[in-house]
Amino acid sequence: MTGTVLARSGAQMTGPVLARKSPCTAHQIIPDNYDKPGNIIQTSADKAPSGALHTQVHVMVNLELYRVFYTVARTGSLTRAAQELYISQPAVSQSIKQIELQMGVALFNRTHRGMELSIAGKSIYSEVEQALSLLDEAENKITVLNATATGTIRIGATDSIFYYILADRIAQYNEKYPGVKLELVSSTSPYTLSQLKEGKCDVGFINLPIDDEEVKLQGTVALLSDVFVAGRKYEDLRRKKIALRSLQEMPLLMIEENTIARMALASFTSTLGITLNPEVEAANWDLMKKLVINGMGIGCIPKEYCTKQLERGDLFVLDTDPALPVRGVGLCLPKNVPMSFAMREFVSMFTGMNGQQ
C-alpha cells in the first residue's frame, strides 16, 4: 500500500484497513469506520502486543479541495465561492464535506450569516492561503517563461536554402527576439535530416521529397522549379522546344550526386527511360552558375536560385519537353519534442502556426 503513515504508540486500535483512491489519485489507507473523526487505525496485524507501534493515517487532500476551502472561507458564502470558482453550489458544498471528512474535523460552522471558520479552520487558513499563493506564483512564472523568447534555436539547412529562402526571415526574427541565440548549421539535406533525428538540430529546412517517419514534416515553406539553363554560347537553343531526351547528348552540369535535388532529377528522368550523366558535378549552385555562364555546358538548377542572372540575360531557361516537376523545401521538426515559445514563434514565421504545440 502507498501513502504517508505516521507512527505512534499507546493506543487501542480496532477494525480492518481498506485501501482506495482519493480524488488526487494517490492511494490512501482508510478504515471502514473512517467517518468517525479521531479514530486510530490498526493494520491487518490487529493482534499486535501491548506497547507495539501503531499507525495513524496522514491524509493527502486534493489541492483543489484546499482551493475550495480557501474561497469559501474568504467569501463566507457557498454561493459566492461557486461563482468565483465557476462550479455549482452543490459541488462546492460537496467539496467542503469531502475535505472535512478526509481531515476528520469540521472546518466551518454553518450559521444564518453564512459559512464561518471553526477553530480548526482558522488554524489552517493562513497556511492554506500562503500555499495557494506560492503555487499561483509558480504557475505565473511558467506562464511568463512560456511567453518569453529566450534560449537557443539550432537551424539546419543547405547554404542555398539559407541564402535564398531563410536569410530575410531569420533577420526579421532576430530583430523581433534579440534574446534568442540562433545557430545556423549548414549542410546537405540528408545530413540535416540525420542531425534532427540525433537531437543535434531543433528545426531543419529540407529539400523535398523526403520519406522518413522519424521526423515531422510541418509544411512546405517554398517551391523550387528545377530548370535547365544555358549561357550565350548556346544562344541557338533559346526559344526552341528541346526534347528532354536530347539533353543526353549535351554537356551537362549538375549538383553533386549525394543531394536530394540530384536524386529527385534522377528519379523523374528514370520514369521516362532517360539517363542524364553530367560532365561536371558542382559542389554548390553558385559555382554551377558561373561555369554555365562561361559556356561549359547546360546546367540544371532551381529557377529561384538564378533569378538575377536570368534578369540580366547572363542565363536563359531551356524550354524542355517535358518540363521538370516542381519540388519544395519543407520545414521539419524532431518528433515528440515540445516546442518552447521561442521555437513556436520561429516556426510561425513560415507556417502560420502561432500558439500551437
Side-chain angles (χ1 to χ4, degrees), residues 277-294:
N277 295 313
E279 289 192 5
V280 177
E281 290 187 344
N284 58 69
W285 302 112
D286 288 336
L287 175 59
M288 180 190 293
K289 287 185 289 185
K290 191 171 183 65
L291 296 177
V292 172
I293 289 172
N294 288 335

Side-chain angles (χ1 to χ4, degrees), residues 45-357:
D46 55 357
K47 295 183 179 180
S50 177
L53 290 177
H54 298 281
T55 58
Q56 182 181 23
V57 168
H58 178 70
V59 180
M60 293 174 61
V61 177
N62 189 310
L63 174 62
E64 290 308 309
L65 295 182
Y66 280 118
R67 198 174 293 279
V68 173
F69 159 79
Y70 170 71
T71 307
V72 172
R74 181 170 50 78
T75 62
S77 166
L78 295 175
T79 301
R80 287 196 294 272
Q83 291 171 347
E84 282 195 21
L85 296 169
Y86 297 99
I87 59 177
S88 67
Q89 181 175 327
V92 173
S93 180
Q94 182 59 35
S95 295
I96 294 301
K97 290 179 181 178
Q98 190 173 355
I99 191 172
E100 288 180 331
L101 179 64
Q102 291 187 15
M103 288 192 166
V105 65
L107 299 174
F108 291 94
N109 297 318
R110 282 74 170 169
T111 71
H112 66 280
R113 292 188 301 272
M115 302 289 284
E116 295 182 352
L117 286 171
S118 67
I119 294 176
K122 291 178 181 178
S123 70
I124 67 169
Y125 177 81
S126 61
E127 284 81 1
V128 171
E129 181 180 41
Q130 182 180 6
L132 291 176
S133 176
L134 290 172
L135 286 171
D136 289 340
E137 182 180 345
E139 290 179 353
N140 289 336
K141 287 181 179 179
I142 296 299
T143 300
V144 170
L145 183 63
N146 285 335
T148 303
T150 58
T152 300
I153 298 177
R154 299 167 297 176
I155 308 166
T158 66
D159 285 339
S160 299
I161 291 176
F162 273 124
Y163 184 82
Y164 294 105
I165 299 173
L166 303 183
D168 290 343
R169 297 192 193 184
I170 287 175
Q172 292 170 12
Y173 183 87
N174 178 252
E175 183 176 357
K176 186 176 181 180
Y177 300 111
V180 180
K181 179 181 178 182
L182 300 175
E183 292 184 4
L184 310 185
V185 184
S186 177
S187 188
T188 63
S189 287
Y191 185 77
T192 298
L193 208 56
S194 68
Q195 293 287 90
L196 272 177
K197 293 188 287 187
E198 294 171 10
K200 298 178 180 178
C201 190
D202 301 309
V203 56
F205 293 85
I206 310 292
N207 280 307
L208 301 178
I210 61 167
D211 183 17
D212 197 316
E213 295 182 353
E214 294 184 49
V215 298
K216 179 182 178 182
L217 177 59
Q218 195 72 28
T220 301
V221 299
L223 295 177
L224 298 178
S225 304
D226 288 327
V227 293
F228 286 95
V229 296
R232 292 185 177 90
K233 181 178 180 179
Y234 295 89
E235 190 67 29
D236 60 314
L237 298 178
R238 189 190 291 269
R239 288 183 288 276
K240 286 185 178 180
K241 181 70 73 172
I242 307 295
L244 190 62
R245 188 175 298 275
S246 67
L247 293 179
Q248 295 178 117
E249 310 302 324
M250 298 183 183
L252 299 178
L253 289 81
M254 294 184 185
I255 201 70
E256 57 189 6
E257 196 169 11
N258 65 335
T259 61
I260 289 179
R262 179 74 177 277
M263 290 186 282
L265 174 64
S267 176
F268 174 69
T269 56
S270 67
T271 63
L272 304 174
I274 299 173
T275 301
L276 299 178
N277 295 313
E279 289 192 5
V280 177
E281 290 187 344
N284 58 69
W285 302 112
D286 288 336
L287 175 59
M288 180 190 293
K289 287 185 289 185
K290 191 171 183 65
L291 296 177
V292 172
I293 289 172
N294 288 335
M296 284 192 65
I298 295 170
C300 183
I301 184 172
K303 187 177 180 180
E304 293 76 11
Y305 291 177
C306 58
T307 53
K308 290 182 180 179
Q309 291 78 12
L310 292 172
E311 290 171 358
R312 290 198 303 257
D314 295 333
L315 296 173
F316 65 90
V317 176
L318 274 65
D319 184 10
T320 60
D321 182 25
L324 299 180
V326 174
R327 44 189 192 87
V329 175
L331 188 160
C332 295
L333 300 169
K335 274 193 172 180
N336 304 317
V337 176
M339 286 193 288
S340 65
F341 174 79
M343 175 63 81
R344 291 199 304 273
E345 289 295 292
F346 181 78
V347 170
S348 73
M349 295 184 68
F350 298 91
T351 64
M353 57 165 295
N354 191 18
Q356 295 182 13
Q357 280 281 13

